[in-house]
Short mmCIF file of all heavy atoms in Angstrom, two decimals:
data_model
loop_
_atom_site.label_atom_id
_atom_site.label_comp_id
_atom_site.label_asym_id
_atom_site.label_seq_id
_atom_site.Cartn_x
_atom_site.Cartn_y
_atom_site.Cartn_z
N GLY A 273 -2.35 2.34 17.32
CA GLY A 273 -1.42 1.30 17.67
C GLY A 273 -0.23 1.30 16.72
O GLY A 273 -0.27 1.87 15.64
N THR A 274 0.80 0.63 17.12
CA THR A 274 1.99 0.52 16.28
C THR A 274 1.99 -0.82 15.57
O THR A 274 1.35 -1.76 16.01
CB THR A 274 3.28 0.67 17.11
OG1 THR A 274 3.30 -0.35 18.09
CG2 THR A 274 3.36 2.03 17.77
N VAL A 275 2.74 -0.88 14.51
CA VAL A 275 2.86 -2.11 13.74
C VAL A 275 4.13 -2.81 14.22
O VAL A 275 5.16 -2.16 14.39
CB VAL A 275 2.94 -1.79 12.22
CG1 VAL A 275 3.06 -3.05 11.41
CG2 VAL A 275 1.73 -0.99 11.80
N PRO A 276 4.07 -4.13 14.47
CA PRO A 276 5.24 -4.84 15.00
C PRO A 276 6.47 -4.71 14.11
O PRO A 276 6.38 -4.75 12.89
CB PRO A 276 4.77 -6.30 15.05
CG PRO A 276 3.29 -6.25 15.01
CD PRO A 276 2.92 -4.99 14.29
N ALA A 277 7.63 -4.58 14.73
CA ALA A 277 8.89 -4.44 13.99
C ALA A 277 9.21 -5.69 13.19
O ALA A 277 9.94 -5.64 12.21
CB ALA A 277 10.02 -4.13 14.96
N SER A 278 8.67 -6.84 13.58
CA SER A 278 8.95 -8.10 12.88
C SER A 278 8.39 -8.08 11.45
O SER A 278 8.73 -8.93 10.64
CB SER A 278 8.35 -9.28 13.64
OG SER A 278 6.95 -9.14 13.73
N ASN A 279 7.57 -7.11 11.15
CA ASN A 279 6.97 -7.01 9.82
C ASN A 279 7.66 -5.95 8.97
O ASN A 279 7.06 -5.39 8.06
CB ASN A 279 5.48 -6.66 9.93
CG ASN A 279 4.68 -7.78 10.57
OD1 ASN A 279 5.07 -8.93 10.53
ND2 ASN A 279 3.57 -7.43 11.17
N CYS A 280 8.91 -5.64 9.24
CA CYS A 280 9.61 -4.55 8.55
C CYS A 280 9.70 -4.74 7.04
O CYS A 280 9.45 -3.81 6.28
CB CYS A 280 11.00 -4.34 9.13
SG CYS A 280 10.96 -3.53 10.73
N ALA A 281 10.09 -5.92 6.58
CA ALA A 281 10.26 -6.13 5.13
C ALA A 281 8.93 -5.97 4.39
O ALA A 281 8.87 -5.22 3.40
CB ALA A 281 10.89 -7.48 4.85
N PRO A 282 7.84 -6.61 4.85
CA PRO A 282 6.57 -6.39 4.15
C PRO A 282 6.11 -4.94 4.21
O PRO A 282 5.58 -4.41 3.24
CB PRO A 282 5.59 -7.31 4.87
CG PRO A 282 6.44 -8.35 5.51
CD PRO A 282 7.74 -7.66 5.84
N GLN A 283 6.34 -4.29 5.36
CA GLN A 283 5.96 -2.88 5.48
C GLN A 283 6.71 -2.04 4.47
O GLN A 283 6.14 -1.17 3.83
CB GLN A 283 6.27 -2.36 6.88
CG GLN A 283 5.34 -2.84 7.96
CD GLN A 283 5.71 -2.22 9.28
OE1 GLN A 283 5.99 -1.02 9.36
NE2 GLN A 283 5.71 -3.02 10.32
N ALA A 284 8.00 -2.30 4.33
CA ALA A 284 8.82 -1.54 3.38
C ALA A 284 8.32 -1.74 1.96
O ALA A 284 8.26 -0.79 1.17
CB ALA A 284 10.28 -1.96 3.49
N LYS A 285 7.91 -2.97 1.63
CA LYS A 285 7.38 -3.24 0.29
C LYS A 285 6.08 -2.48 0.05
O LYS A 285 5.85 -1.97 -1.04
CB LYS A 285 7.14 -4.75 0.09
CG LYS A 285 8.40 -5.56 -0.08
CD LYS A 285 8.02 -7.02 -0.32
CE LYS A 285 9.22 -7.91 -0.48
NZ LYS A 285 8.82 -9.32 -0.69
N ILE A 286 5.23 -2.43 1.07
CA ILE A 286 3.95 -1.71 0.95
C ILE A 286 4.20 -0.21 0.78
O ILE A 286 3.59 0.44 -0.06
CB ILE A 286 3.03 -2.02 2.15
CG1 ILE A 286 2.54 -3.47 2.05
CG2 ILE A 286 1.85 -1.05 2.20
CD1 ILE A 286 1.79 -3.98 3.26
N VAL A 287 5.14 0.34 1.56
CA VAL A 287 5.48 1.76 1.43
C VAL A 287 6.04 2.05 0.04
O VAL A 287 5.64 3.02 -0.61
CB VAL A 287 6.47 2.19 2.54
CG1 VAL A 287 7.03 3.57 2.27
CG2 VAL A 287 5.78 2.15 3.91
N LEU A 288 6.92 1.18 -0.43
CA LEU A 288 7.50 1.35 -1.77
C LEU A 288 6.41 1.31 -2.84
O LEU A 288 6.38 2.15 -3.75
CB LEU A 288 8.55 0.27 -2.03
CG LEU A 288 9.27 0.35 -3.36
CD1 LEU A 288 10.08 1.64 -3.47
CD2 LEU A 288 10.18 -0.86 -3.53
N LEU A 289 5.51 0.36 -2.73
CA LEU A 289 4.41 0.25 -3.69
C LEU A 289 3.53 1.49 -3.64
O LEU A 289 3.12 2.02 -4.68
CB LEU A 289 3.59 -1.01 -3.40
CG LEU A 289 2.45 -1.33 -4.35
CD1 LEU A 289 2.95 -1.54 -5.77
CD2 LEU A 289 1.71 -2.57 -3.87
N ALA A 290 3.25 1.99 -2.44
CA ALA A 290 2.41 3.17 -2.28
C ALA A 290 3.02 4.40 -2.95
O ALA A 290 2.31 5.29 -3.40
CB ALA A 290 2.16 3.45 -0.80
N CYS A 291 4.35 4.42 -3.02
CA CYS A 291 5.05 5.57 -3.61
C CYS A 291 5.15 5.47 -5.13
O CYS A 291 5.63 6.41 -5.77
CB CYS A 291 6.44 5.69 -2.99
SG CYS A 291 6.38 6.18 -1.25
N GLN A 292 4.70 4.35 -5.70
CA GLN A 292 4.71 4.20 -7.14
C GLN A 292 3.36 4.62 -7.70
O GLN A 292 2.33 4.52 -7.03
CB GLN A 292 4.99 2.74 -7.52
CG GLN A 292 6.36 2.28 -7.11
CD GLN A 292 6.59 0.81 -7.39
OE1 GLN A 292 5.89 0.21 -8.20
NE2 GLN A 292 7.56 0.22 -6.73
N SER A 293 3.36 5.04 -8.93
CA SER A 293 2.13 5.45 -9.59
C SER A 293 1.21 4.24 -9.79
O SER A 293 1.67 3.20 -10.25
CB SER A 293 2.47 6.07 -10.95
OG SER A 293 1.35 6.08 -11.78
N PRO A 294 -0.07 4.37 -9.46
CA PRO A 294 -1.00 3.28 -9.73
C PRO A 294 -1.02 2.90 -11.21
O PRO A 294 -1.13 1.73 -11.55
CB PRO A 294 -2.36 3.82 -9.29
CG PRO A 294 -2.05 4.93 -8.37
CD PRO A 294 -0.74 5.49 -8.80
N ALA A 295 -0.88 3.89 -12.08
CA ALA A 295 -0.89 3.63 -13.52
C ALA A 295 0.27 2.70 -13.90
O ALA A 295 0.13 1.86 -14.79
CB ALA A 295 -0.82 4.93 -14.30
N SER A 296 1.41 2.82 -13.21
CA SER A 296 2.56 1.96 -13.52
C SER A 296 2.32 0.52 -13.06
O SER A 296 3.05 -0.38 -13.46
CB SER A 296 3.83 2.51 -12.86
OG SER A 296 3.81 2.29 -11.46
N GLN A 297 1.28 0.33 -12.26
CA GLN A 297 0.94 -1.00 -11.76
C GLN A 297 -0.32 -1.55 -12.42
O GLN A 297 -0.93 -2.49 -11.92
CB GLN A 297 0.75 -0.95 -10.23
CG GLN A 297 1.96 -0.49 -9.48
CD GLN A 297 3.14 -1.44 -9.66
OE1 GLN A 297 2.99 -2.65 -9.52
NE2 GLN A 297 4.30 -0.89 -9.99
N GLY A 298 -0.72 -0.92 -13.53
CA GLY A 298 -1.87 -1.43 -14.27
C GLY A 298 -3.19 -0.76 -13.95
O GLY A 298 -4.23 -1.17 -14.44
N TRP A 299 -3.18 0.27 -13.13
CA TRP A 299 -4.40 0.99 -12.78
C TRP A 299 -4.46 2.25 -13.65
O TRP A 299 -4.20 3.36 -13.20
CB TRP A 299 -4.42 1.35 -11.30
CG TRP A 299 -4.57 0.15 -10.40
CD1 TRP A 299 -3.67 -0.87 -10.25
CD2 TRP A 299 -5.67 -0.17 -9.56
NE1 TRP A 299 -4.15 -1.79 -9.36
CE2 TRP A 299 -5.37 -1.39 -8.92
CE3 TRP A 299 -6.87 0.45 -9.28
CZ2 TRP A 299 -6.25 -1.99 -8.02
CZ3 TRP A 299 -7.73 -0.14 -8.38
CH2 TRP A 299 -7.43 -1.35 -7.76
N ALA A 300 -4.79 2.05 -14.89
CA ALA A 300 -4.79 3.13 -15.88
C ALA A 300 -5.66 4.31 -15.44
O ALA A 300 -6.76 4.12 -14.91
CB ALA A 300 -5.28 2.61 -17.22
N GLY A 301 -5.13 5.51 -15.65
CA GLY A 301 -5.89 6.71 -15.36
C GLY A 301 -5.82 7.18 -13.91
O GLY A 301 -6.30 8.26 -13.60
N GLN A 302 -5.26 6.37 -13.03
CA GLN A 302 -5.17 6.77 -11.62
C GLN A 302 -3.82 7.40 -11.36
O GLN A 302 -2.78 6.85 -11.71
CB GLN A 302 -5.34 5.55 -10.70
CG GLN A 302 -6.73 5.42 -10.15
CD GLN A 302 -6.79 4.35 -9.07
OE1 GLN A 302 -6.94 3.19 -9.37
NE2 GLN A 302 -6.68 4.77 -7.82
N THR A 303 -3.83 8.56 -10.72
CA THR A 303 -2.58 9.24 -10.41
C THR A 303 -2.13 9.01 -8.98
O THR A 303 -0.96 9.17 -8.67
CB THR A 303 -2.72 10.76 -10.65
OG1 THR A 303 -3.79 11.25 -9.83
CG2 THR A 303 -3.00 11.06 -12.11
N HIS A 304 -3.06 8.64 -8.09
CA HIS A 304 -2.75 8.40 -6.69
C HIS A 304 -3.49 7.14 -6.23
O HIS A 304 -4.60 6.88 -6.68
CB HIS A 304 -3.21 9.56 -5.81
CG HIS A 304 -2.49 10.83 -6.08
ND1 HIS A 304 -2.84 11.67 -7.12
CD2 HIS A 304 -1.45 11.41 -5.45
CE1 HIS A 304 -2.04 12.71 -7.11
NE2 HIS A 304 -1.18 12.58 -6.12
N TRP A 305 -2.88 6.41 -5.32
CA TRP A 305 -3.54 5.27 -4.70
C TRP A 305 -4.53 5.77 -3.66
O TRP A 305 -4.28 6.78 -3.00
CB TRP A 305 -2.54 4.38 -3.97
CG TRP A 305 -1.63 3.58 -4.82
CD1 TRP A 305 -0.30 3.80 -5.00
CD2 TRP A 305 -1.95 2.41 -5.58
NE1 TRP A 305 0.22 2.83 -5.84
CE2 TRP A 305 -0.78 1.97 -6.20
CE3 TRP A 305 -3.13 1.70 -5.81
CZ2 TRP A 305 -0.73 0.85 -7.03
CZ3 TRP A 305 -3.08 0.59 -6.62
CH2 TRP A 305 -1.91 0.17 -7.22
N SER A 306 -5.59 5.03 -3.47
CA SER A 306 -6.40 5.16 -2.25
C SER A 306 -6.00 3.96 -1.40
O SER A 306 -5.46 2.97 -1.91
CB SER A 306 -7.90 5.12 -2.57
OG SER A 306 -8.29 3.82 -2.97
N ILE A 307 -6.26 4.02 -0.12
CA ILE A 307 -5.92 2.89 0.75
C ILE A 307 -6.70 1.66 0.31
O ILE A 307 -6.15 0.56 0.26
CB ILE A 307 -6.19 3.24 2.22
CG1 ILE A 307 -5.16 4.28 2.69
CG2 ILE A 307 -6.12 2.00 3.10
CD1 ILE A 307 -5.39 4.82 4.07
N VAL A 308 -7.97 1.83 -0.06
CA VAL A 308 -8.79 0.71 -0.50
C VAL A 308 -8.20 0.07 -1.76
O VAL A 308 -8.07 -1.16 -1.84
CB VAL A 308 -10.25 1.18 -0.76
CG1 VAL A 308 -11.07 0.09 -1.42
CG2 VAL A 308 -10.89 1.63 0.54
N ASP A 309 -7.84 0.89 -2.75
CA ASP A 309 -7.29 0.36 -3.99
C ASP A 309 -5.93 -0.30 -3.77
O ASP A 309 -5.64 -1.34 -4.36
CB ASP A 309 -7.15 1.46 -5.05
CG ASP A 309 -8.49 1.94 -5.57
OD1 ASP A 309 -9.51 1.24 -5.39
OD2 ASP A 309 -8.52 3.02 -6.18
N LEU A 310 -5.10 0.29 -2.92
CA LEU A 310 -3.79 -0.28 -2.65
C LEU A 310 -3.94 -1.65 -1.97
O LEU A 310 -3.28 -2.62 -2.37
CB LEU A 310 -2.97 0.66 -1.78
CG LEU A 310 -1.53 0.26 -1.50
CD1 LEU A 310 -0.73 0.06 -2.79
CD2 LEU A 310 -0.85 1.33 -0.64
N ALA A 311 -4.81 -1.74 -1.00
CA ALA A 311 -5.05 -3.03 -0.32
C ALA A 311 -5.60 -4.06 -1.31
O ALA A 311 -5.18 -5.22 -1.30
CB ALA A 311 -6.02 -2.84 0.85
N GLN A 312 -6.50 -3.64 -2.18
CA GLN A 312 -7.07 -4.54 -3.19
C GLN A 312 -5.98 -5.03 -4.13
O GLN A 312 -5.90 -6.22 -4.46
CB GLN A 312 -8.17 -3.84 -3.98
CG GLN A 312 -8.78 -4.70 -5.07
CD GLN A 312 -9.82 -3.95 -5.88
OE1 GLN A 312 -10.38 -2.95 -5.43
NE2 GLN A 312 -10.08 -4.43 -7.08
N HIS A 313 -5.11 -4.13 -4.58
CA HIS A 313 -4.02 -4.48 -5.49
C HIS A 313 -3.10 -5.53 -4.83
O HIS A 313 -2.73 -6.51 -5.47
CB HIS A 313 -3.23 -3.23 -5.86
CG HIS A 313 -2.08 -3.51 -6.78
ND1 HIS A 313 -2.24 -3.78 -8.11
CD2 HIS A 313 -0.74 -3.58 -6.53
CE1 HIS A 313 -1.04 -4.00 -8.66
NE2 HIS A 313 -0.13 -3.87 -7.72
N ILE A 314 -2.77 -5.33 -3.58
CA ILE A 314 -1.90 -6.26 -2.87
C ILE A 314 -2.57 -7.64 -2.77
O ILE A 314 -1.94 -8.66 -3.03
CB ILE A 314 -1.54 -5.72 -1.47
CG1 ILE A 314 -0.65 -4.48 -1.61
CG2 ILE A 314 -0.85 -6.79 -0.63
CD1 ILE A 314 -0.48 -3.68 -0.33
N ARG A 315 -3.86 -7.66 -2.43
CA ARG A 315 -4.59 -8.93 -2.31
C ARG A 315 -4.68 -9.65 -3.65
O ARG A 315 -4.66 -10.88 -3.69
CB ARG A 315 -5.99 -8.69 -1.74
CG ARG A 315 -6.00 -8.38 -0.26
CD ARG A 315 -7.40 -8.43 0.33
NE ARG A 315 -8.34 -7.56 -0.36
CZ ARG A 315 -8.58 -6.30 -0.04
NH1 ARG A 315 -7.93 -5.74 0.96
NH2 ARG A 315 -9.46 -5.59 -0.71
N GLU A 316 -4.80 -8.90 -4.74
CA GLU A 316 -4.96 -9.50 -6.07
C GLU A 316 -3.64 -9.95 -6.69
O GLU A 316 -3.65 -10.55 -7.77
CB GLU A 316 -5.65 -8.51 -7.01
CG GLU A 316 -7.10 -8.28 -6.67
CD GLU A 316 -7.76 -7.22 -7.54
OE1 GLU A 316 -7.05 -6.55 -8.32
OE2 GLU A 316 -8.99 -7.07 -7.42
N HIS A 317 -2.52 -9.66 -6.03
CA HIS A 317 -1.21 -10.01 -6.58
C HIS A 317 -0.38 -10.79 -5.56
O HIS A 317 0.53 -10.24 -4.93
CB HIS A 317 -0.47 -8.73 -7.03
CG HIS A 317 -1.12 -8.09 -8.20
ND1 HIS A 317 -0.87 -8.48 -9.50
CD2 HIS A 317 -2.07 -7.12 -8.28
CE1 HIS A 317 -1.62 -7.76 -10.32
NE2 HIS A 317 -2.34 -6.93 -9.60
N PRO A 318 -0.67 -12.11 -5.44
CA PRO A 318 0.07 -12.93 -4.48
C PRO A 318 1.57 -12.99 -4.74
O PRO A 318 2.35 -13.23 -3.83
CB PRO A 318 -0.57 -14.32 -4.62
CG PRO A 318 -1.32 -14.30 -5.90
CD PRO A 318 -1.67 -12.86 -6.17
N GLU A 319 1.98 -12.69 -5.99
CA GLU A 319 3.42 -12.70 -6.31
C GLU A 319 4.17 -11.60 -5.56
O GLU A 319 5.40 -11.65 -5.45
CB GLU A 319 3.64 -12.58 -7.82
CG GLU A 319 3.35 -11.23 -8.42
CD GLU A 319 1.87 -10.96 -8.75
OE1 GLU A 319 1.00 -11.78 -8.38
OE2 GLU A 319 1.59 -9.92 -9.37
N LEU A 320 3.46 -10.63 -5.01
CA LEU A 320 4.10 -9.59 -4.21
C LEU A 320 4.54 -10.13 -2.85
O LEU A 320 5.33 -9.52 -2.15
CB LEU A 320 3.15 -8.40 -4.00
CG LEU A 320 2.76 -7.61 -5.24
CD1 LEU A 320 1.69 -6.58 -4.91
CD2 LEU A 320 3.98 -6.93 -5.85
N ASP A 321 3.98 -11.29 -2.48
CA ASP A 321 4.32 -11.95 -1.22
C ASP A 321 4.05 -11.06 -0.01
O ASP A 321 4.85 -10.98 0.92
CB ASP A 321 5.79 -12.41 -1.24
CG ASP A 321 6.08 -13.46 -0.18
OD1 ASP A 321 5.14 -14.19 0.21
OD2 ASP A 321 7.23 -13.53 0.28
N LEU A 322 2.90 -10.38 -0.06
CA LEU A 322 2.52 -9.48 1.04
C LEU A 322 1.26 -9.95 1.76
O LEU A 322 0.72 -9.22 2.58
CB LEU A 322 2.33 -8.06 0.51
CG LEU A 322 3.61 -7.39 -0.01
CD1 LEU A 322 3.27 -6.08 -0.69
CD2 LEU A 322 4.60 -7.18 1.11
N GLY A 323 0.79 -11.14 1.43
CA GLY A 323 -0.40 -11.66 2.09
C GLY A 323 -1.65 -10.94 1.61
O GLY A 323 -1.72 -10.46 0.48
N THR A 324 -2.63 -10.85 2.51
CA THR A 324 -3.91 -10.22 2.17
C THR A 324 -4.27 -9.19 3.24
O THR A 324 -5.24 -9.37 3.98
CB THR A 324 -5.02 -11.27 2.05
OG1 THR A 324 -5.07 -12.03 3.27
CG2 THR A 324 -4.78 -12.22 0.88
N PRO A 325 -3.49 -8.12 3.33
CA PRO A 325 -3.77 -7.13 4.38
C PRO A 325 -5.09 -6.39 4.13
O PRO A 325 -5.47 -6.15 2.98
CB PRO A 325 -2.59 -6.16 4.26
CG PRO A 325 -2.18 -6.25 2.83
CD PRO A 325 -2.41 -7.70 2.46
N SER A 326 -5.76 -6.06 5.21
CA SER A 326 -6.99 -5.27 5.11
C SER A 326 -6.63 -3.82 4.82
O SER A 326 -5.48 -3.40 4.99
CB SER A 326 -7.77 -5.35 6.43
OG SER A 326 -7.04 -4.68 7.45
N LYS A 327 -7.63 -3.04 4.43
CA LYS A 327 -7.37 -1.61 4.21
C LYS A 327 -6.94 -0.95 5.51
O LYS A 327 -6.12 -0.04 5.51
CB LYS A 327 -8.57 -0.91 3.57
CG LYS A 327 -9.78 -0.82 4.46
CD LYS A 327 -10.90 -0.07 3.80
CE LYS A 327 -12.07 -0.01 4.76
NZ LYS A 327 -12.85 1.16 4.70
N SER A 328 -7.44 -1.45 6.63
CA SER A 328 -7.07 -0.90 7.93
C SER A 328 -5.58 -1.13 8.21
O SER A 328 -4.86 -0.22 8.66
CB SER A 328 -7.91 -1.55 9.03
OG SER A 328 -7.46 -1.17 10.30
N THR A 329 -5.09 -2.34 7.90
CA THR A 329 -3.68 -2.65 8.10
C THR A 329 -2.81 -1.80 7.20
O THR A 329 -1.80 -1.24 7.64
CB THR A 329 -3.43 -4.15 7.85
OG1 THR A 329 -4.19 -4.91 8.79
CG2 THR A 329 -1.95 -4.50 7.98
N VAL A 330 -3.19 -1.69 5.94
CA VAL A 330 -2.43 -0.87 4.99
C VAL A 330 -2.40 0.58 5.48
O VAL A 330 -1.36 1.23 5.49
CB VAL A 330 -3.01 -0.96 3.56
CG1 VAL A 330 -2.37 0.06 2.63
CG2 VAL A 330 -2.83 -2.37 3.01
N GLY A 331 -3.54 1.08 5.94
CA GLY A 331 -3.62 2.44 6.45
C GLY A 331 -2.71 2.66 7.65
O GLY A 331 -2.03 3.68 7.76
N LYS A 332 -2.66 1.68 8.57
CA LYS A 332 -1.81 1.79 9.75
C LYS A 332 -0.33 1.81 9.37
O LYS A 332 0.46 2.55 9.95
CB LYS A 332 -2.09 0.65 10.72
CG LYS A 332 -3.39 0.78 11.46
CD LYS A 332 -3.62 -0.41 12.36
CE LYS A 332 -4.99 -0.31 13.03
NZ LYS A 332 -5.28 -1.52 13.83
N ILE A 333 0.03 0.97 8.40
CA ILE A 333 1.43 0.93 7.95
C ILE A 333 1.83 2.27 7.35
O ILE A 333 2.88 2.83 7.68
CB ILE A 333 1.65 -0.23 6.95
CG1 ILE A 333 1.55 -1.57 7.68
CG2 ILE A 333 3.00 -0.09 6.23
CD1 ILE A 333 1.46 -2.77 6.77
N LEU A 334 0.99 2.80 6.47
CA LEU A 334 1.30 4.08 5.84
C LEU A 334 1.35 5.21 6.87
O LEU A 334 2.23 6.07 6.83
CB LEU A 334 0.30 4.39 4.73
CG LEU A 334 0.28 3.39 3.56
CD1 LEU A 334 -0.77 3.79 2.55
CD2 LEU A 334 1.64 3.26 2.92
N GLN A 335 0.41 5.19 7.82
CA GLN A 335 0.38 6.21 8.86
C GLN A 335 1.64 6.13 9.73
O GLN A 335 2.22 7.16 10.09
CB GLN A 335 -0.87 6.03 9.72
CG GLN A 335 -1.06 7.12 10.75
CD GLN A 335 -2.36 6.95 11.52
OE1 GLN A 335 -2.79 5.83 11.79
NE2 GLN A 335 -2.98 8.06 11.86
N ALA A 336 2.09 4.92 10.04
CA ALA A 336 3.29 4.74 10.86
C ALA A 336 4.53 5.30 10.18
O ALA A 336 5.49 5.68 10.84
CB ALA A 336 3.49 3.25 11.17
N HIS A 337 4.49 5.38 8.84
CA HIS A 337 5.61 5.92 8.08
C HIS A 337 5.35 7.34 7.57
O HIS A 337 6.08 7.83 6.71
CB HIS A 337 5.94 4.98 6.91
CG HIS A 337 6.44 3.64 7.37
ND1 HIS A 337 7.74 3.44 7.76
CD2 HIS A 337 5.81 2.46 7.54
CE1 HIS A 337 7.89 2.17 8.13
NE2 HIS A 337 6.72 1.56 8.01
N ASN A 338 4.29 7.96 8.09
CA ASN A 338 3.92 9.32 7.71
C ASN A 338 3.71 9.47 6.20
O ASN A 338 4.08 10.49 5.61
CB ASN A 338 4.95 10.33 8.20
CG ASN A 338 5.01 10.38 9.72
OD1 ASN A 338 3.98 10.35 10.37
ND2 ASN A 338 6.20 10.43 10.27
N ILE A 339 3.14 8.44 5.58
CA ILE A 339 2.84 8.47 4.14
C ILE A 339 1.40 8.94 3.98
O ILE A 339 0.47 8.35 4.52
CB ILE A 339 3.00 7.08 3.50
CG1 ILE A 339 4.41 6.53 3.70
CG2 ILE A 339 2.61 7.12 2.03
CD1 ILE A 339 5.48 7.23 2.94
N ARG A 340 1.23 10.02 3.23
CA ARG A 340 -0.12 10.52 2.91
C ARG A 340 -0.30 10.39 1.40
O ARG A 340 0.34 11.11 0.64
CB ARG A 340 -0.26 11.96 3.39
CG ARG A 340 -0.12 11.99 4.92
CD ARG A 340 -0.48 13.28 5.53
NE ARG A 340 -1.79 13.75 5.15
CZ ARG A 340 -2.24 14.94 5.45
NH1 ARG A 340 -1.51 15.76 6.16
NH2 ARG A 340 -3.43 15.33 5.06
N LEU A 341 -1.13 9.45 1.00
CA LEU A 341 -1.28 9.11 -0.40
C LEU A 341 -1.68 10.28 -1.28
O LEU A 341 -1.21 10.40 -2.40
CB LEU A 341 -2.29 7.96 -0.57
CG LEU A 341 -1.90 6.64 0.09
CD1 LEU A 341 -3.03 5.64 -0.03
CD2 LEU A 341 -0.63 6.10 -0.54
N GLU A 342 -2.49 11.16 -0.75
CA GLU A 342 -2.95 12.29 -1.55
C GLU A 342 -1.84 13.30 -1.83
O GLU A 342 -1.98 14.17 -2.67
CB GLU A 342 -4.15 12.99 -0.90
CG GLU A 342 -3.83 13.79 0.35
CD GLU A 342 -3.71 12.99 1.64
OE1 GLU A 342 -3.79 11.74 1.60
OE2 GLU A 342 -3.52 13.62 2.70
N ARG A 343 -0.71 13.16 -1.13
CA ARG A 343 0.40 14.11 -1.32
C ARG A 343 1.55 13.53 -2.13
O ARG A 343 2.57 14.18 -2.31
CB ARG A 343 0.92 14.56 0.03
CG ARG A 343 -0.11 15.40 0.76
CD ARG A 343 0.48 16.06 1.93
NE ARG A 343 -0.52 16.92 2.54
CZ ARG A 343 -0.29 17.72 3.54
NH1 ARG A 343 0.91 17.80 4.04
NH2 ARG A 343 -1.25 18.45 4.03
N LEU A 344 1.40 12.29 -2.57
CA LEU A 344 2.49 11.66 -3.35
C LEU A 344 2.38 12.06 -4.81
O LEU A 344 1.37 12.33 -5.33
CB LEU A 344 2.44 10.14 -3.22
CG LEU A 344 2.74 9.61 -1.84
CD1 LEU A 344 2.61 8.09 -1.83
CD2 LEU A 344 4.13 10.00 -1.38
#
């Protein structure tokens, strides 16, 4: 399925976060995000203003933007 266009700003924030090093976000020793860890990080940081997306939602957003975490 596709992700609604009305969610463009939050999607862009999630994509931007996914492209940053987990270590730069306090996940010491991690070089790449997993979808589970990225979703957990978003849920644990309400100041990001991204709500509490499930790992499935995060995965769909990244897939819609052709983001493959293992290749970043």
Side-chain angles (χ1 to χ4, degrees):
T274 60
V275 180
S278 61
N279 294 335
C280 286
Q283 286 182 44
K285 287 182 181 179
I286 290 172
V287 169
L288 182 63
L289 183 61
C291 292
Q292 296 176 19
S293 161
S296 74
Q297 300 297 312
W299 291 64
Q302 261 190 275
T303 58
H304 295 82
W305 288 108
S306 71
I307 290 174
V308 171
D309 290 343
L310 185 57
Q312 179 183 338
H313 179 75
I314 293 167
R315 286 192 305 270
E316 290 176 352
H317 292 275
E319 72 277 8
L320 295 173
D321 198 27
L322 294 172
T324 56
S326 67
K327 67 177 181 146
S328 173
T329 298
V330 171
K332 286 178 184 175
I333 290 168
L334 298 179
Q335 186 176 35
H337 294 279
N338 295 318
I339 302 290
R340 297 190 54 188
L341 297 175
E342 72 279 4
R343 293 191 176 185
L344 294 178

